[in-house]
Amino acid sequence: MYKTHTCGELRASHAGQTVTLAGWVHRRRDHGGVIFIDLRDRFGLTQVVINPDLPKETLELIGNVRSEWVLQITGKVQPRPEGMLNPKMPTGEIEVAMQTFEVLNPAKALPFMISSDEEVDENMRLKYRYLDLRRERMRRNLELRHHVVKFMRDYLSDRDFIEVETPSLFKTTPEGARDYLVPSRVYPGQFYALPQSPQQLKQLLMVAGVERYFQIARCFRDEDSRGDRQPEFTQLDLEMSFVHRDDVLAMVEGLFTAMLPAVSPQKRLMASPWPRLTYTEAVARYGVDKPDMRFGMELFDAGAIFTKSEFAVFQGSLAAGGMVKCLVAPGCAGYSRKELDKLTEFVKELGAKGLVSLALTPEGPKGSGAKFITPAELAALEKLTGASTGDLLLFVADSAKVVHKALGALRLWFRDALNLVDKDVMAFAWVLDFPMFEWSEEGQKWDAAHHPFTMPRLSDLDKFETDPGAILSDAYDMVCNGYEMASGSIRIHRRDIQSKVFELLGIGAEEAQQKFGHMLEAFEFGAPPHGGIAPGIDRLVMLLADEPNIREVIAFPKNQAARDVMADAPSPADPKQLRELHIQVKE
Ligand code: ASP
């Protein structure tokens, strides 16, 4: 054994014992001949004191020791002298008076300090991730992630779920992103695809009679790096047979509700049971399908108030079948022209033509909308929104899509600007009744809003020919604090319906057979009704850890340009490897 105790373990009750510790030199201080070393391991810090009466060679050798050297130290535990106690440190009652030590490995000068929280350039942190992970914050995040995953495993195992591993080398499993392909050496010109999720495999496990499956599953999606995404990420993937939507929701709600106090006691649920909204309602009230429900500031539809308005901006949008919606920024009537211009720029970048403002000041209405809004309209607005003197109303008039996008984002802007939320509140909610298909302007075709294995509402089946946009699906999202935390659905388990969906998506019979023949065939061998969901683990841990992005809770993430800057990947392949893979790289 390298150590008799960890660096977080010793207390006053150990005084008098001779102990051996091993760890890193966290800090080193020289107090006029007496050297102090804070020795660190994963479990904590212990102060080691090196008295000047030790043999000269020992003193000389220890004098050379620097930050992050790995040492093994033997010494005697002693109470700290009066006035030197450190109540902030769990081991603050004692110190270890060193007798002997051994250098297990020295360390070069470090690219950044481990013992401080100073801001370090992220690429530098990622290049030396193994050093970055030594820092307290990262250690806490790794441990939290472990507790979260362990809780999930235990909770589901106790409820008859079994964890089943599924392959990474598989075939295209669409979730709306591009596939990562892996060339086959044995079959020239043929490729595996890394699964965007284990979607097909978990459904096939249901056909196999597993009934309750889960997996801590890695998903691979080749997306342009926009926002806080990673090429690979982790989901709690689960699937259940003989269930309706509410059975799946109850299982997941139960899991998360039980998990919160166990892994992050400082966090609290906003509401229990979790609120449920339809997709249409979520978009209408919050502008987005992943609302942050920790605060109000909902969107109001003011269209009915302005049907006879002479204000060209409102009139034009309503006449074109669009809408006029507003939100109320409480206490913001005093916003300056400059601040309002900034907000106008903000919504313009989101596609809106402009932003109409109406400030309810003690001297009467002000702002760009003031001279166009009649006293009767103003009274109706106050009634609709509950706004009163001191508040600022902001309107966007445009197509429903633009209005919701702009005001939805503006709502979040005010959330941050006015500090409207408590970071320890977890506002979980369910969003239900999604449309099954979305029209893609780009591809001029229907896309699956969730994925093509989602069950359309059976009562909507006749709309396949007449009005695909109106078909609802049995899909659901779990949202929290403005993030989509999970997507799931009741699945198709009938070949005829699956074929119908593929057909509408423009996947012809031949392509369907080639890509998904195994699924279609499985549905003809006694497939049980089934459904599932896949909560994202990275995002969840990010919220629980109060981190600003998922890279902070992934041990070895790619940077924002999708590169591993530590190992320097991706990197060119050896020409011999390429030849074996039958691949020629074009310059
Ligand atoms: N495959 C997931 C599901 O369970 C969805 C997802 O990966 O986002 O429906």
Side-chain angles (χ1 to χ4, degrees):
M1 288 286 267
Y2 271 104
K3 42 169 133 177
T4 56
H5 296 79
T6 72
C7 292
E9 200 177 337
L10 298 173
R11 299 289 181 273
S13 57
H14 293 93
Q17 289 186 25
T18 297
V19 298
T20 301
L21 304 178
W24 289 261
V25 175
H26 190 63
R27 251 184 245 110
R28 181 184 173 285
R29 298 180 301 277
D30 212 326
H31 279 195
V34 188
I35 298 173
F36 291 93
I37 286 177
D38 285 341
L39 198 69
R40 183 193 75 238
D41 65 10
R42 207 191 94 202
F43 307 94
L45 289 173
T46 299
Q47 175 167 298
V48 176
V49 50
I50 294 122
N51 289 311
D53 53 9
L54 283 169
K56 204 160 160 269
E57 319 74 271
T58 311
L59 287 175
E60 253 175 45
L61 285 172
I62 197 96
N64 293 330
V65 161
R66 292 290 174 269
S67 283
E68 298 303 307
W69 285 37
V70 184
L71 304 183
Q72 184 185 40
I73 286 179
T74 298
K76 203 169 193 170
V77 184
Q78 62 190 30
R80 291 199 193 181
E82 200 67 43
M84 305 286 272
L85 272 75
N86 184 349
K88 283 201 221 109
M89 256 171 112
T91 61
E93 302 166 325
I94 55 92
E95 59 191 9
V96 172
M98 190 185 87
Q99 290 157 344
T100 58
F101 84 102
E102 195 172 327
V103 176
L104 300 179
N105 200 217
K108 295 199 295 190
L110 293 143
F112 50 82
M113 297 269 285
I114 307 298
S115 58
S116 90
D117 273 339
E118 61 171 358
E119 277 294 322
V120 178
D121 169 66
E122 192 181 24
N123 274 326
M124 183 62 92
R125 289 176 57 203
L126 293 178
K127 180 164 162 43
Y128 295 101
R129 189 60 156 180
Y130 48 87
L131 296 179
D132 190 39
L133 291 175
R134 285 186 194 168
R135 298 170 115 193
E136 164 79 6
R137 164 183 172 197
M138 290 294 117
R139 182 189 55 72
R140 252 190 286 125
N141 290 353
L142 288 184
E143 286 182 0
L144 173 63
R145 188 176 177 121
H146 163 73
H147 292 310
V148 165
V149 169
K150 179 169 188 307
F151 190 94
M152 290 170 165
R153 283 204 158 101
D154 292 345
Y155 188 92
L156 293 172
S157 307
D158 287 347
R159 283 157 187 79
D160 293 325
F161 283 78
I162 58 168
E163 183 165 11
V164 182
E165 290 169 81
T166 56
S168 295
L169 295 179
F170 193 56
K171 209 170 164 161
T172 186
T173 293
E175 293 272 3
R178 213 175 277 116
D179 284 327
Y180 279 102
L181 294 179
V182 180
S184 162
R185 178 181 56 81
V186 187
Y187 300 98
Q190 298 190 12
F191 298 83
Y192 299 101
L194 302 181
Q196 294 182 33
S197 81
Q199 186 60 38
Q200 296 183 53
L201 294 150
K202 68 173 168 175
Q203 289 190 241
L204 292 167
L205 285 171
M206 295 304 105
V207 182
V210 168
E211 289 203 30
R212 289 183 164 212
Y213 143 93
F214 80 96
Q215 179 181 194
I216 305 300
R218 194 56 62 81
C219 303
F220 305 88
R221 299 184 190 176
D222 187 359
E223 292 174 297
D224 293 327
S225 37
R226 73 187 148 93
D228 183 20
R229 292 177 184 234
Q230 285 282 305
E232 53 181 312
F233 58 92
T234 311
Q235 291 183 335
L236 166 63
D237 195 41
L238 70 89
E239 197 74 7
M240 304 163 77
S241 290
F242 306 112
V243 286
H244 297 293
R245 178 191 78 186
D246 285 359
D247 301 312
V248 180
L249 302 194
M251 181 59 67
V252 175
E253 192 168 325
L255 162 63
F256 277 71
T257 302
M259 180 173 64
L260 214 55
V263 302
S264 291
Q266 79 285 11
K267 300 280 174 195
R268 26 179 224 289
L269 284 182
M270 185 193 70
S272 193
W274 301 356
R276 293 180 175 203
L277 301 89
T278 65
Y279 166 80
T280 313
E281 192 186 350
V283 174
R285 288 171 56 191
Y286 302 98
V288 290
D289 61 3
K290 43 182 182 199
D292 187 342
M293 295 177 68
R294 286 174 297 177
F295 68 112
M297 230 179 147
E298 295 186 16
L299 278 43
F300 294 100
D301 189 345
I305 296 176
F306 294 112
T307 44
K308 296 204 178 65
S309 170
E310 293 186 353
F311 186 20
V313 175
F314 289 177
Q315 206 33 261
S317 149
L318 292 174
M323 14 174 59
V324 178
K325 281 198 164 186
C326 68
L327 55 74
V328 180
C332 296
Y335 267 32
S336 66
R337 181 65 193 273
K338 209 166 140 207
E339 281 167 313
L340 291 172
D341 285 348
K342 207 172 76 189
L343 294 180
T344 306
E345 270 320 300
F346 178 79
V347 296
K348 276 188 173 166
E349 269 174 36
L350 297 165
K353 287 189 275 297
L355 187 67
V356 175
S357 62
L358 184 70
L360 305 183
T361 76
E363 300 81 46
K366 294 215 169 107
S368 61
K371 59 176 178 289
F372 302 104
I373 292 173
T374 66
E377 288 166 348
L378 178 62
L381 277 174
E382 285 174 340
K383 187 154 172 254
L384 173 73
T385 63
S388 57
T389 305
D391 294 341
L392 172 68
L393 279 77
L394 294 167
F395 299 81
V396 176
D398 218 305
S399 68
K401 205 170 165 186
V402 171
V403 166
H404 289 138
K405 191 170 174 196
L407 288 179
L410 202 55
R411 181 176 173 268
L412 297 183
W413 186 92
F414 278 106
R415 170 192 67 186
D416 300 335
L418 303 179
N419 228 333
L420 296 177
V421 295
D422 177 343
K423 71 170 176 45
D424 284 334
V425 170
M426 300 287 279
F428 286 104
W430 292 110
V431 181
L432 310 169
D433 298 344
F434 281 83
M436 176 80 193
F437 302 106
E438 271 165 0
W439 180 252
S440 153
E441 282 301 333
E442 201 190 323
Q444 287 293 300
K445 65 177 187 64
W446 291 105
D447 284 340
H450 185 40
H451 54 57
F453 310 106
T454 299
M455 183 71 105
R457 276 289 157 77
L458 290 179
S459 53
D460 286 344
L461 283 188
D462 56 335
K463 297 189 185 129
F464 267 78
E465 285 75 34
T466 53
D467 190 4
I471 302 173
L472 292 184
S473 74
D474 231 339
Y476 30 83
D477 274 4
M478 171 181 137
V479 301
C480 184
N481 298 3
Y483 293 100
E484 177 194 308
M485 304 291 283
S487 280
S489 59
I490 295 300
R491 324 297 185 184
I492 297 169
H493 66 282
R494 276 170 42 186
R495 179 178 180 130
D496 56 335
I497 302 178
Q498 189 65 72
S499 298
K500 228 171 147 69
V501 169
F502 284 150
E503 200 181 310
L504 193 88
L505 294 173
I507 304 173
E510 205 176 306
E511 188 186 350
Q513 188 54 39
Q514 190 244 325
K515 282 190 178 148
F516 307 112
H518 53 288
M519 291 287 280
L520 292 168
E521 192 175 18
F523 293 161
E524 293 183 314
F525 280 115
H530 60 283
I533 190 163
I537 289 180
D538 310 292
R539 180 108 324 138
L540 171 70
V541 180
M542 176 195 98
L543 284 185
L544 296 178
D546 296 321
E547 288 290 2
N549 65 66
I550 59 172
R551 298 184 297 285
E552 302 294 356
V553 299
I554 296 174
F556 297 103
K558 310 285 180 285
N559 72 1
Q560 275 177 295
R563 292 200 68 84
D564 182 321
V565 290
M566 180 179 68
D568 193 24
S571 53
D574 193 287
K576 179 166 172 281
Q577 281 178 312
L578 289 178
R579 266 198 310 280
E580 281 173 349
L581 291 170
H582 324 282
I583 284 186
Q584 208 183 350
V585 178
K586 276 196 180 170
E587 285 308 320

PDB file of all heavy atoms in Angstrom, residues 96 272 322 353 415:
ATOM      1  N   VAL A  96       0.579  16.911   9.590  1.00  0.00           N
ATOM      2  CA  VAL A  96       1.450  15.740   9.683  1.00  0.00           C
ATOM      3  C   VAL A  96       2.893  16.243   9.720  1.00  0.00           C
ATOM      4  O   VAL A  96       3.333  16.942   8.796  1.00  0.00           O
ATOM      5  CB  VAL A  96       1.232  14.787   8.493  1.00  0.00           C
ATOM      6  CG1 VAL A  96       2.278  13.669   8.482  1.00  0.00           C
ATOM      7  CG2 VAL A  96      -0.172  14.195   8.550  1.00  0.00           C
ATOM      8  N   SER A 272     -44.387  19.650  -8.700  1.00  0.00           N
ATOM      9  CA  SER A 272     -44.560  18.208  -8.748  1.00  0.00           C
ATOM     10  C   SER A 272     -46.041  17.930  -8.551  1.00  0.00           C
ATOM     11  O   SER A 272     -46.615  18.435  -7.591  1.00  0.00           O
ATOM     12  CB  SER A 272     -43.748  17.568  -7.614  1.00  0.00           C
ATOM     13  OG  SER A 272     -43.650  16.217  -7.802  1.00  0.00           O
ATOM     14  N   GLY A 322     -50.435  36.848 -40.516  1.00  0.00           N
ATOM     15  CA  GLY A 322     -49.472  36.740 -39.421  1.00  0.00           C
ATOM     16  C   GLY A 322     -50.086  37.118 -38.092  1.00  0.00           C
ATOM     17  O   GLY A 322     -51.312  37.093 -37.943  1.00  0.00           O
ATOM     18  N   LYS A 353     -38.820  42.102 -38.568  1.00  0.00           N
ATOM     19  CA  LYS A 353     -38.580  43.353 -39.298  1.00  0.00           C
ATOM     20  C   LYS A 353     -38.324  44.494 -38.327  1.00  0.00           C
ATOM     21  O   LYS A 353     -37.680  45.473 -38.646  1.00  0.00           O
ATOM     22  CB  LYS A 353     -39.782  43.656 -40.192  1.00  0.00           C
ATOM     23  CG  LYS A 353     -39.832  42.710 -41.411  1.00  0.00           C
ATOM     24  CD  LYS A 353     -40.871  43.106 -42.427  1.00  0.00           C
ATOM     25  CE  LYS A 353     -42.257  42.567 -42.119  1.00  0.00           C
ATOM     26  NZ  LYS A 353     -42.391  41.102 -42.127  1.00  0.00           N
ATOM     27  N   ARG A 415     -34.866  37.495 -19.046  1.00  0.00           N
ATOM     28  CA  ARG A 415     -34.580  36.587 -17.921  1.00  0.00           C
ATOM     29  C   ARG A 415     -33.192  36.885 -17.363  1.00  0.00           C
ATOM     30  O   ARG A 415     -33.019  37.031 -16.158  1.00  0.00           O
ATOM     31  CB  ARG A 415     -34.638  35.129 -18.402  1.00  0.00           C
ATOM     32  CG  ARG A 415     -34.112  34.135 -17.361  1.00  0.00           C
ATOM     33  CD  ARG A 415     -33.897  32.752 -17.949  1.00  0.00           C
ATOM     34  NE  ARG A 415     -32.806  32.736 -18.935  1.00  0.00           N
ATOM     35  CZ  ARG A 415     -32.487  31.681 -19.686  1.00  0.00           C
ATOM     36  NH1 ARG A 415     -33.185  30.568 -19.577  1.00  0.00           N
ATOM     37  NH2 ARG A 415     -31.490  31.737 -20.548  1.00  0.00           N
TER      38      ARG A 415
END
